[in-house]
Amino acid sequence: MLPKISITIPTYNEKDNIRSCLESIQIQNYPEGKIEVIIVDGGSTDGTIDITRQFQFVTVLNNPEKDTHIGKMIGLKASTGEYWTYFDADLQANGSDWARSMVQPLLEDSALVASVSRYHGRPEDSLLEKYINLDPIGRDTLFAWFTPGIESTIEEWRNGYAVCCYQPNSIPPEGRCLFRRSLLMELIGHQGRFRELDTLLLLTRAGHAQYAYVPEPGYYHRHPKSLSELHRKRKRNAMRNYIPGYMEGYIQYTWFDLKMPKDFLKMSALIFYAFSLIGPLFGGIWKTVKYRSLSGMVEVVYVPVAVKAYLEAVITNKQGRSFIKQVLKEFSWQRKRGYK
């Protein structure tokens, strides 16, 4: 008998996305009553909740803080399934066998902490979206510059999935997993927020390092369709997710540490690459050949726009400017000490 799966979806004014998301769950080839969906809403005023109430398997909870990480934790604590995951409202399960495919490795091997999958594109996607989906877990150049790909953690392939081994300093930046709920509650049930990458780090540090990578059927996730949307989203998220030290004591998983000379130099090299023109050109050619897709050439415009957004987010923020000053001071001090 297949176990119960709980899915938490934080929402706020998602009427344009939530129906497709829920329909992709509704069509799962999974026993009736064995999938529960918990919508944790931050006070939508656009009819999002009216749509969700049309689906009988949905429970709606209130999120007065309007914080997605708090919403995920509210949903985790309220869930009743043996396994738990979260969706964004603009995410869809890519096919009717998603639930069975994700849970099967966890039933076969009790040593596996969770199942992780990949993102797939669709023919109607923009070139920008196709470019982002070239990487299985949607890593853009900044992600790939500092973080490992999911393939680099694979130890062995089994029937329909791979066994991956994570290390505290080598965790792919994809935290959307189907977790064993009891393990999550034991490890982070006392916390007020669910931060997915922090959770992977805490699990790995605790010795729970084996994950199942299930590439099919995966997910479909909406990405920015235009460069202006890309710039806006990257700028919004930059300080919150990418810059270590911005929320000291809150974010534990960091992409890089600019106070370390190696990471500082790597970031400097990335900035030079982004605005050198020839760098993204050759990078685009390499991706086009590697993935056999002309969408790889989007690298030429994607990288400068994304890196510009990251820089603007830091430079136009008082705390960001203060952080950069501290980094430069620390880097200078390290060089004087002859740090290598």
Short mmCIF file of all heavy atoms in Angstrom, two decimals, residues 288-313:
data_model
loop_
_atom_site.label_atom_id
_atom_site.label_comp_id
_atom_site.label_asym_id
_atom_site.label_seq_id
_atom_site.Cartn_x
_atom_site.Cartn_y
_atom_site.Cartn_z
N THR A 288 25.79 25.56 -26.09
CA THR A 288 25.06 25.13 -27.28
C THR A 288 25.55 23.77 -27.75
O THR A 288 24.75 22.89 -28.10
CB THR A 288 25.23 26.17 -28.41
OG1 THR A 288 24.64 27.41 -28.00
CG2 THR A 288 24.57 25.70 -29.69
N VAL A 289 26.87 23.59 -27.74
CA VAL A 289 27.44 22.31 -28.16
C VAL A 289 27.13 21.22 -27.12
O VAL A 289 26.73 20.11 -27.47
CB VAL A 289 28.97 22.44 -28.35
CG1 VAL A 289 29.60 21.07 -28.61
CG2 VAL A 289 29.28 23.39 -29.50
N LYS A 290 27.31 21.54 -25.83
CA LYS A 290 27.11 20.55 -24.77
C LYS A 290 25.68 20.03 -24.75
O LYS A 290 25.45 18.82 -24.65
CB LYS A 290 27.46 21.16 -23.41
CG LYS A 290 27.23 20.22 -22.25
CD LYS A 290 27.57 20.86 -20.91
CE LYS A 290 27.29 19.89 -19.76
NZ LYS A 290 27.60 20.52 -18.44
N TYR A 291 24.72 20.94 -24.83
CA TYR A 291 23.31 20.55 -24.70
C TYR A 291 22.62 20.38 -26.05
O TYR A 291 21.43 20.07 -26.09
CB TYR A 291 22.56 21.59 -23.86
CG TYR A 291 23.05 21.67 -22.44
CD1 TYR A 291 23.81 22.76 -21.99
CD2 TYR A 291 22.77 20.66 -21.52
CE1 TYR A 291 24.25 22.84 -20.68
CE2 TYR A 291 23.21 20.75 -20.20
CZ TYR A 291 23.96 21.84 -19.79
OH TYR A 291 24.40 21.92 -18.48
N ARG A 292 23.35 20.65 -27.14
CA ARG A 292 22.79 20.52 -28.49
C ARG A 292 21.52 21.35 -28.63
O ARG A 292 20.49 20.88 -29.15
CB ARG A 292 22.52 19.05 -28.81
CG ARG A 292 23.77 18.18 -28.78
CD ARG A 292 23.46 16.75 -29.12
NE ARG A 292 24.66 15.92 -29.04
CZ ARG A 292 24.68 14.61 -29.27
NH1 ARG A 292 23.56 13.99 -29.60
NH2 ARG A 292 25.81 13.94 -29.17
N SER A 293 21.59 22.57 -28.15
CA SER A 293 20.44 23.47 -28.19
C SER A 293 20.91 24.89 -28.41
O SER A 293 21.81 25.37 -27.70
CB SER A 293 19.64 23.39 -26.88
OG SER A 293 18.64 24.39 -26.84
N LEU A 294 20.31 25.58 -29.37
CA LEU A 294 20.68 26.96 -29.63
C LEU A 294 20.33 27.89 -28.47
O LEU A 294 20.83 29.01 -28.40
CB LEU A 294 19.99 27.45 -30.91
CG LEU A 294 20.57 26.90 -32.23
CD1 LEU A 294 19.71 27.37 -33.40
CD2 LEU A 294 22.01 27.35 -32.40
N SER A 295 19.47 27.42 -27.55
CA SER A 295 19.14 28.25 -26.39
C SER A 295 20.36 28.51 -25.53
O SER A 295 20.36 29.43 -24.71
CB SER A 295 18.02 27.60 -25.56
OG SER A 295 18.42 26.32 -25.09
N GLY A 296 21.43 27.72 -25.71
CA GLY A 296 22.67 27.98 -24.96
C GLY A 296 23.24 29.35 -25.25
O GLY A 296 23.93 29.94 -24.40
N MET A 297 22.95 29.90 -26.43
CA MET A 297 23.47 31.22 -26.79
C MET A 297 22.82 32.35 -26.00
O MET A 297 23.30 33.49 -26.04
CB MET A 297 23.30 31.46 -28.30
CG MET A 297 24.17 30.56 -29.17
SD MET A 297 25.94 30.64 -28.76
CE MET A 297 26.31 32.36 -29.05
N VAL A 298 21.75 32.05 -25.27
CA VAL A 298 21.14 33.07 -24.41
C VAL A 298 22.12 33.52 -23.33
O VAL A 298 21.98 34.60 -22.76
CB VAL A 298 19.84 32.50 -23.77
CG1 VAL A 298 19.26 33.46 -22.75
CG2 VAL A 298 18.81 32.23 -24.86
N GLU A 299 23.16 32.72 -23.08
CA GLU A 299 24.22 33.09 -22.14
C GLU A 299 24.73 34.50 -22.41
O GLU A 299 25.06 35.25 -21.48
CB GLU A 299 25.37 32.09 -22.26
CG GLU A 299 26.58 32.38 -21.37
CD GLU A 299 26.56 31.59 -20.08
OE1 GLU A 299 25.53 30.94 -19.81
OE2 GLU A 299 27.57 31.64 -19.35
N VAL A 300 24.79 34.88 -23.68
CA VAL A 300 25.36 36.18 -24.07
C VAL A 300 24.62 37.34 -23.43
O VAL A 300 25.24 38.34 -23.01
CB VAL A 300 25.35 36.32 -25.61
CG1 VAL A 300 25.83 37.70 -26.03
CG2 VAL A 300 26.21 35.24 -26.24
N VAL A 301 23.30 37.25 -23.32
CA VAL A 301 22.53 38.35 -22.73
C VAL A 301 22.11 38.05 -21.29
O VAL A 301 21.93 38.97 -20.48
CB VAL A 301 21.27 38.66 -23.57
CG1 VAL A 301 21.68 39.24 -24.92
CG2 VAL A 301 20.41 37.41 -23.78
N TYR A 302 21.94 36.77 -20.97
CA TYR A 302 21.47 36.39 -19.64
C TYR A 302 22.46 36.79 -18.55
O TYR A 302 22.10 37.42 -17.55
CB TYR A 302 21.22 34.88 -19.58
CG TYR A 302 20.68 34.39 -18.25
CD1 TYR A 302 19.32 34.12 -18.09
CD2 TYR A 302 21.51 34.20 -17.14
CE1 TYR A 302 18.82 33.68 -16.88
CE2 TYR A 302 21.01 33.76 -15.93
CZ TYR A 302 19.67 33.50 -15.81
OH TYR A 302 19.18 33.08 -14.60
N VAL A 303 23.72 36.43 -18.73
CA VAL A 303 24.71 36.62 -17.67
C VAL A 303 24.91 38.10 -17.33
O VAL A 303 24.89 38.46 -16.15
CB VAL A 303 26.04 35.95 -18.05
CG1 VAL A 303 27.11 36.25 -17.00
CG2 VAL A 303 25.85 34.44 -18.16
N PRO A 304 25.10 39.00 -18.30
CA PRO A 304 25.26 40.41 -17.93
C PRO A 304 24.06 40.98 -17.19
O PRO A 304 24.21 41.72 -16.22
CB PRO A 304 25.46 41.11 -19.27
CG PRO A 304 25.97 40.05 -20.18
CD PRO A 304 25.29 38.79 -19.75
N VAL A 305 22.85 40.60 -17.62
CA VAL A 305 21.63 41.12 -16.98
C VAL A 305 21.53 40.61 -15.55
O VAL A 305 21.23 41.37 -14.61
CB VAL A 305 20.39 40.73 -17.79
CG1 VAL A 305 19.11 41.05 -17.00
CG2 VAL A 305 20.37 41.46 -19.12
N ALA A 306 21.76 39.31 -15.35
CA ALA A 306 21.63 38.73 -14.01
C ALA A 306 22.69 39.29 -13.06
O ALA A 306 22.37 39.67 -11.92
CB ALA A 306 21.76 37.20 -14.10
N VAL A 307 23.93 39.34 -13.49
CA VAL A 307 25.00 39.84 -12.62
C VAL A 307 24.79 41.33 -12.32
O VAL A 307 25.03 41.78 -11.20
CB VAL A 307 26.38 39.59 -13.26
CG1 VAL A 307 27.49 40.26 -12.44
CG2 VAL A 307 26.65 38.08 -13.36
N LYS A 308 24.33 42.09 -13.29
CA LYS A 308 24.02 43.50 -13.06
C LYS A 308 22.94 43.65 -11.98
O LYS A 308 23.03 44.53 -11.11
CB LYS A 308 23.54 44.15 -14.36
CG LYS A 308 23.19 45.64 -14.24
CD LYS A 308 22.87 46.20 -15.62
CE LYS A 308 22.52 47.68 -15.54
NZ LYS A 308 21.18 47.90 -14.95
N ALA A 309 21.95 42.78 -12.01
CA ALA A 309 20.89 42.83 -10.99
C ALA A 309 21.45 42.53 -9.61
O ALA A 309 21.10 43.20 -8.63
CB ALA A 309 19.79 41.83 -11.35
N TYR A 310 22.33 41.53 -9.52
CA TYR A 310 22.93 41.20 -8.23
C TYR A 310 23.73 42.38 -7.69
O TYR A 310 23.64 42.74 -6.51
CB TYR A 310 23.86 39.99 -8.37
CG TYR A 310 23.20 38.73 -8.85
CD1 TYR A 310 23.84 37.89 -9.77
CD2 TYR A 310 21.93 38.35 -8.41
CE1 TYR A 310 23.24 36.73 -10.22
CE2 TYR A 310 21.33 37.19 -8.86
CZ TYR A 310 21.99 36.38 -9.76
OH TYR A 310 21.41 35.23 -10.21
N LEU A 311 24.52 43.00 -8.56
CA LEU A 311 25.36 44.12 -8.14
C LEU A 311 24.50 45.30 -7.70
O LEU A 311 24.79 45.96 -6.69
CB LEU A 311 26.29 44.54 -9.28
CG LEU A 311 27.42 43.56 -9.62
CD1 LEU A 311 28.17 44.03 -10.86
CD2 LEU A 311 28.37 43.39 -8.45
N GLU A 312 23.45 45.60 -8.45
CA GLU A 312 22.57 46.71 -8.09
C GLU A 312 21.93 46.48 -6.73
O GLU A 312 21.78 47.42 -5.93
CB GLU A 312 21.49 46.88 -9.15
CG GLU A 312 21.96 47.51 -10.43
CD GLU A 312 20.84 47.70 -11.43
OE1 GLU A 312 19.68 47.42 -11.08
OE2 GLU A 312 21.13 48.11 -12.57
N ALA A 313 21.53 45.23 -6.46
CA ALA A 313 20.89 44.93 -5.19
C ALA A 313 21.80 45.24 -4.02
O ALA A 313 21.36 45.73 -2.98
CB ALA A 313 20.47 43.46 -5.16
#
